[in-house]
Amino acid sequence: MTNNFLTTIRSLKLIEGCKAAQIYPFNSAASTSGGSGDGGGGAKLLPLPPPRSVSLMSASLCYPHAPATSGAFSSDSTLPCGLPAAAALEPALDACLRPVDHVSALAASFRRMSSAERKGDDLCDVYLEQHALFHALGDPRLLRRALRAARVHATDSHRRVVLAAWLRHERREDEFDPMPPPLDPCGPTTPLLECPRSAVFATESSGVDPVCPCRRTPPPPPRPPRLRRDTILRRNASIAFDESEEDDDDEEDETNDLWFVIGQEEVACERSCIAALAKPLNTLLYGGFAEARRDHIDFSRDGISARGMRAVAAYSRHGRLDDFPPDTILELLAFANKFCCDGLKVACDNKLASMVRGVDEALSLIDLGLEEAAHLLVATCLQAFLRELPKSLSHPEVARLLCSPEGRERLDAAGNASFALYYFLSYVAMEEDMRSNTTVMLLERLWECAELPWHKQLALHQLGCVMLERGEFKDAQEWFEEAVAEGHVYSLAGVARAKFKCGHKYMAYKLMNRVVTDYDPAGWMYQERAVYCVGKEKVADLRTATQLDPTLTYPYKYRAAALLEEDKMERALEEIDKVLSFRMATDCLELRAWFYLVAGDFEAAVRDVRAILTLDPTYMMFHGKMHGEQLIELLRGQVQQRDMADCWLQLYDRWSGVDDIGSLAVVQQMLAREPGNSSLRFRQSLLLLRLNCQKAAMRSLRLARNSSMHDHERLVYEGWILYDTGHRDEALEKAEQSLSLQRSFEAFFLKAYALGDSSLDVESALSVVQLLEHANSCASDNLRKGQAYNNMGSIYVDCDLLDEATECYSIALSIKHTRAHQGLARVHFLKNRKKAAFDEMTSLLKIAKNSASAYEKRSEYAERDAAKSDLNMATLLDPTRTYPYRYRAAVLMDENKEEEAIGELTQALAFKPDLQLLHLRAAFQDSMGDSASTLRDCEAALCMHPQHGDTLELYNKASAKADHQSES
């Protein structure tokens, strides 16, 4: 059977595909699972998952000549593309700003922000710079906060439009409908900063309306015109009159002392009203021109029709644009530009802008708006294009306007070209397809708009990354060198890589050797130098890279592949598992699946492939030649086939065994059989949230909502979407609506969860417990009921009802809700049974052997030496967890080992700038009298979280101390 499988897979001619020139993808630093940028993966790890993914195998795992091994593994006899060769692996370059010292860069950004606030300067660009810096940190919350701050401080309609569209683009996975019409009115939960009308027509000087215009109560209808006294007398005398008489009365109020002759028609006007429209018209009608003495003026050659002139006359009398058709308003706009009628131009601009509803209207009006310099109209049309990204870039006319140099010049003339615009456009284009011509052109426009140093660094570095991706190595080297000249040190890695690709390996090595010598050490420096080393020197550099930055994935992958070449399969798997214990990286899952294929463990290989497809349903393996579903189909004969009942049993076992990846794989297998099963989609979203894959979780939750066949289920899933996006009250309302249709476990659970997410008194907390009891009385499975009992236990603990909590946790454990061990340990601790608490956590660790959080929790119930041992293990399993570093540093400070304590925190801050770490180091430095370092760390922390009270207090204290020292 195995031979048949290999024959089938070879028939796909994957080897020929792997003989193509290698193209190495680049990472933006943020991944969907959080964590810092690694520069060592291969799949695109932009903050938003791309619609299409190209497998890292295309760059790292498929090789034309895999080395032969001496043991059981033979490249040609077992796999179509040979074994993964360690020598062919390469780390990816981060296509974002990466300062040598993140903390100093963040502190400098905070100082620029403070200076701009004091001087009243523009803050929008300062926050955009912070957004660019936060990319390397990989925290989507920081990225969104920076975008929101930039939108709040955008003082012109153009940047408000760009940033509102960007915020909406980042939140697209949270919408019930993933592609709503671009300029539709806001829904009840749409954030104010994303409102399309507020972006263009903001009434506040700050650019942020207090109430969304889409939800503002419409003004009352205008009162009818007051009738004159003689009309009232006629009405009282029962003298009939009709509408035409009213019109005649209105006309009697108008004084017509000027007629414009247009062709064969005469348009009656009031001279003073027309003259008041603009100074040129006032000079024409009251100055020394012949027209000042005429009551009939020929306007036949002035480019306006009689209908348009009547509209001008009406506007001059009443100061408003009535329901004129668009072509008439366009005539008025041209008239306003010709005669410098500022008020009329603003009115026309506003009116036309309000008529744009989507891309079609925008395409029909954008050219006229650009010709007439109608800023609001152009901004609204641009908004329609931006809110349809990336789809709108495929439209030739839109692409021509946004991508070409001529288009940028036209937009600039209308006040609608900026660095912010092309920053957003290039961001989306790189996410969509890094090698496309569209991406290159947008980055070139970004470079043309660059003014500040960070603008230039970003544009030049990203151009270098794209050219390297496209295989244009000479151009890439030039762009990287220009970025270095602008002060971006990380671009030296790009210069070295381009030299290496051009065949100058030793020159690349010398360059990175100089970087390592000239700058403070960083993990990426040693990682990049390792690419150009061999043997023990390479191994040593990769070891140093991991020590400096354990979140870099390339060193783990290289070591794993090298171990495989030495026939050390078990150690190879252990090495790649080190990454997967703290980051769900698709390229690492793919590498592990590759290892399992080599070992003939097809069950494990299929498990990992299913997990990959859950994270990215479009993922392609084997140099982009095979979809994951196709590989699963080819392996069908090699793995056990299970029906839905067997799958449920397996899911129960893996969920209870805290095997989240295995649980994901089982759910994906079940969804392959029942793709419309909304309950399974919901469970998939829960697992993804547990694995910190927020965007994939929201995608699954939205699919659950869209595939639900029952209204009460759909309301529950909508409630969870609202709750996860911060709309707690609306989520409660959805739960109530669902319960009014049908009592269900999930509706009660949602209501309880939303109510429990606040500080509750005992009575309110017990009402939440009652809701969970109602939930458990409804039909459900033990997986969900165990969670409900666990939550009940947590509430009882908060209410100091420890016996009731013990009972709930015990019930949860009896139905194999393994995580209840942690709650029961807390109960033991509160009852002063510290040893029992430690033993309870030990029971959890027997099942969840690689749970960093469990080791961290157990350390709270251990003696100091055992606690340090547990926290060391937690750091080994997940180096991104900050509590172990803070604990070890605090212990060292207690032992009066200040330098060692500072060093412990500095080690973590080198790859994970974190608020708590920065605050603690600042406090330590303040106690040691180092005011400069204290201020730097406080500034960096406040750049990330400007309202953090403890840090603000420490910063003010250190600032006062520094001022006192400078005065003395």
Side-chain angles (χ1 to χ4, degrees), residues 222-487:
R223 292 181 178 180
R226 295 181 60 186
L227 300 177
R228 296 200 313 273
R229 183 173 180 274
D230 61 335
T231 304
I232 297 172
L233 290 173
R234 277 185 289 157
R235 175 174 286 173
N236 290 339
S238 300
I239 300 175
F241 67 100
D242 57 16
E243 185 179 347
S244 63
E245 288 178 311
E246 272 195 315
D247 293 341
D248 291 341
D249 290 338
D250 290 340
E251 288 179 5
E252 289 176 11
D253 291 340
E254 297 175 353
T255 302
N256 297 324
D257 55 359
L258 178 66
W259 288 264
F260 287 97
V261 180
I262 300 173
Q264 301 300 317
E265 298 186 56
E266 294 184 357
V267 179
C269 302
E270 189 170 344
R271 182 183 293 268
S272 61
C273 292
I274 296 295
L277 290 176
K279 189 171 182 179
L281 289 172
N282 183 72
T283 303
L284 176 72
L285 299 178
Y286 288 105
F289 295 96
E291 286 80 0
R293 297 185 296 275
R294 296 176 183 171
D295 55 9
H296 285 70
I297 300 175
D298 186 5
F299 254 37
S300 300
R301 298 180 181 179
D302 283 273
I304 190 169
S305 67
R307 183 176 63 176
M309 198 62 217
R310 277 192 287 273
V312 172
Y315 176 82
S316 71
R317 286 188 169 105
H318 308 300
R320 66 178 186 270
L321 292 175
D322 296 320
D323 294 329
F324 298 124
D327 56 341
T328 300
I329 297 177
L330 287 169
E331 278 195 83
L332 294 182
L333 180 61
F335 179 90
N337 275 328
K338 185 171 186 177
F339 291 99
C340 303
C341 305
D342 294 337
L344 177 58
K345 179 175 180 178
V346 170
C348 292
D349 198 1
N350 275 277
K351 187 74 172 180
L352 288 168
S354 67
M355 293 179 178
V356 179
R357 291 288 181 270
V359 173
D360 293 338
E361 293 94 335
L363 284 170
S364 66
L365 291 172
I366 184 71
D367 286 335
L368 292 168
L370 289 168
E371 289 172 9
E372 300 295 343
H375 303 316
L376 290 183
L377 174 58
V378 174
T380 307
C381 294
L382 186 62
Q383 181 168 235
F385 302 149
L386 296 179
R387 286 173 175 254
E388 284 281 283
L389 290 172
K391 179 182 175 183
S392 58
L393 283 177
S394 61
H395 195 292
E397 292 182 40
V398 176
R400 189 179 305 114
L401 175 67
L402 298 179
C403 301
S404 67
E406 297 77 17
R408 187 194 68 80
E409 291 174 2
R410 295 182 69 196
L411 288 171
D412 192 28
N416 277 277
S418 66
F419 183 87
L421 170 64
Y422 290 102
Y423 183 21
F424 176 35
L425 287 170
S426 60
Y427 171 86
V428 174
M430 292 176 69
E431 180 183 82
E432 181 73 3
D433 184 0
M434 200 163 180
R435 291 173 292 185
S436 70
N437 291 333
T438 297
T439 302
V440 175
M441 288 189 290
L442 288 172
L443 285 173
E444 288 173 346
R445 304 294 81 75
L446 182 71
W447 163 236
E448 291 168 0
C449 293
E451 298 177 352
L452 301 175
W454 77 267
H455 290 175
K456 297 174 183 178
Q457 292 174 16
L458 179 66
L460 292 166
H461 179 72
Q462 289 186 336
L463 275 165
C465 289
V466 168
M467 291 303 175
L468 197 62
E469 176 84 350
R470 287 161 62 96
E472 300 175 23
F473 305 127
K474 288 289 187 183
D475 290 340
Q477 181 177 335
E478 292 176 4
W479 288 116
F480 282 132
E481 287 173 344
E482 289 193 44
V484 173
E486 293 293 337

Side-chain angles (χ1 to χ4, degrees), residues 135-152:
H135 263 292
L137 306 186
D139 189 339
R141 294 169 299 179
L142 290 177
L143 290 169
R144 185 162 182 82
R145 187 192 65 74
L147 277 183
R148 287 174 58 85
R151 164 66 183 88
V152 166

Side-chain angles (χ1 to χ4, degrees), residues 754-938:
L755 285 174
D757 187 22
S758 59
S759 298
L760 300 176
D761 55 33
V762 174
E763 184 178 353
S764 300
L766 293 179
S767 69
V768 174
V769 170
Q770 190 175 21
L771 287 171
L772 291 170
E773 289 174 343
H774 288 325
N776 277 337
S777 68
C778 299
S780 186
D781 57 77
N782 284 342
L783 296 176
R784 297 296 286 149
K785 288 190 175 184
Q787 183 66 61
Y789 279 115
N790 192 70
N791 288 9
M792 290 164 64
S794 298
I795 295 171
Y796 279 132
V797 169
D798 292 339
C799 296
D800 202 27
L801 300 171
L802 301 184
D803 292 337
E804 290 83 350
T806 300
E807 182 180 356
C808 288
Y809 287 131
S810 298
I811 295 173
L813 287 172
S814 70
I815 54 179
K816 295 188 176 181
H817 187 77
T818 310
R819 288 178 170 83
H821 281 295
Q822 185 167 318
L824 198 54
R826 185 182 174 202
V827 172
H828 287 311
F829 181 73
L830 292 174
K831 289 184 174 182
N832 294 319
R833 297 201 296 258
K834 191 173 181 180
K835 177 67 166 58
F838 183 87
D839 292 342
E840 197 68 42
M841 289 305 301
T842 303
S843 299
L844 174 58
L845 283 166
K846 289 177 181 178
I847 302 170
K849 296 180 178 64
N850 295 319
S851 173
S853 62
Y855 278 104
E856 187 176 296
K857 193 67 179 178
R858 191 174 72 168
S859 71
E860 297 179 18
Y861 312 129
E863 300 302 327
R864 174 170 286 194
D865 290 341
K868 289 174 66 176
S869 176
D870 277 354
L871 291 175
N872 289 339
M873 178 58 72
T875 298
L876 187 65
L877 291 170
D878 185 354
T880 65
R881 302 184 72 88
T882 61
Y883 172 73
Y885 298 99
R886 289 185 281 127
Y887 177 89
R888 289 189 291 264
V891 170
L892 288 168
M893 282 296 287
D894 287 343
E895 296 172 352
N896 295 320
K897 298 177 180 178
E898 291 90 352
E899 293 300 329
E900 290 89 337
I902 295 292
E904 180 70 28
L905 297 173
T906 302
Q907 176 188 354
L909 286 168
F911 63 88
K912 186 179 175 60
D914 172 82
L915 172 66
Q916 298 295 336
L917 292 173
L918 285 166
H919 176 76
L920 187 58
R921 190 172 73 169
F924 287 175
Q925 288 162 341
D926 181 61
S927 68
M928 297 165 63
D930 188 349
S931 298
S933 297
T934 303
L935 287 172
R936 180 202 59 203
D937 284 356
C938 286

